Amino acid sequence: AISRLNHSCNPNVNRAWQEDEGVMALRATRDIEVGEELCTSYIFPLYYSAAERQTKLQSNWKFVCRCTACTQSGDARAQSDKARKELAVKVCKLGVFRETMLTTPPHAAVLSTFEENLWEMVADTGELLKVEFGPNPALLANLFFDALQVAEALGCEGSATELAQLALDASCRAE
């Protein structure tokens, strides 16, 4: 039963509601070894530091997380915390970029610069997601979909089409 899944701050499955079937489905976020426990995340987004995640989990679910992300120490933990903070900032910037483009599209003269910035944001954020969470298709699909909305707001049809395909491909892998 899905309600009995344990938590991990680096989950190997995501939950996805299947409206047409009326069921909650699990989708692997990476290859899962035979005998490996299936774990989902109780918190979202996953970009909190280890200390923040522990506080949230202790407050809401009354347990101390002992997943691989939380049991890191020293440099590994500091790097993970830094990567997650960077991801939080990058995802926030993409959201602000999206909202700005939806409300105040740029002048045509600077459009190509905005489009280049968008692709740079997608590449940087995607790489950081892969480093911290592995090839998590659900997180990548969200990134590509957010960027797609920016590309559409910019009127960049080629980029929008490419991002739509990336989002679709990642979504299919997430399913």
Side-chain angles (χ1 to χ4, degrees):
I2 291 176
S3 63
R4 299 216 180 242
L5 285 173
N6 283 325
H7 165 82
S8 174
C9 296
N10 195 359
N12 57 13
V13 296
N14 285 330
R15 297 172 304 238
W17 178 252
Q18 302 297 301
E19 184 67 37
D20 56 333
E21 298 175 31
V23 298
M24 183 70 70
L26 298 177
R27 305 291 184 225
T29 61
R30 59 174 173 77
D31 289 340
I32 299 171
E33 299 294 323
V34 173
E36 182 180 353
E37 179 180 19
L38 301 181
C39 292
T40 189
S41 179
Y42 295 176
I43 54 177
F44 193 81
L46 297 169
Y47 309 138
Y48 298 104
S49 69
E52 292 166 326
R53 293 192 311 269
Q54 290 294 349
T55 298
K56 218 174 216 341
L57 292 165
Q58 183 64 40
S59 171
N60 293 323
W61 290 277
K62 311 295 185 228
F63 74 92
V64 174
C65 183
R66 300 201 192 298
C67 73
T68 56
C70 287
T71 55
Q72 297 178 95
S73 60
D75 288 345
R77 185 177 200 157
Q79 286 178 323
S80 178
D81 284 351
K82 181 181 177 195
R84 288 177 189 240
K85 287 296 181 195
E86 284 181 43
L87 279 165
V89 169
K90 288 179 183 301
V91 169
C92 182
K93 281 183 180 178
L94 185 58
V96 169
F97 197 36
R98 183 184 67 230
E99 293 305 313
T100 302
M101 294 304 102
L102 290 172
T103 57
T104 314
H107 187 274
V110 295
L111 193 58
S112 65
T113 302
F114 277 94
E115 189 173 14
E116 287 174 25
N117 288 344
L118 173 62
W119 280 108
E120 192 173 300
M121 291 170 77
V122 168
D124 290 349
T125 306
E127 189 57 38
L128 202 50
L129 281 170
K130 288 176 187 174
V131 168
E132 186 61 21
F133 297 106
N136 186 320
L139 293 176
L140 290 172
N142 288 338
L143 168 64
F144 297 141
F145 182 73
D146 288 347
L148 162 63
Q149 292 178 316
V150 175
E152 286 178 335
L154 288 169
C156 300
E157 292 179 19
S159 288
T161 300
E162 191 173 342
L163 287 161
Q165 188 61 56
L166 289 168
L168 178 62
D169 291 348
S171 292
C172 289
R173 286 191 312 273
E175 293 182 10

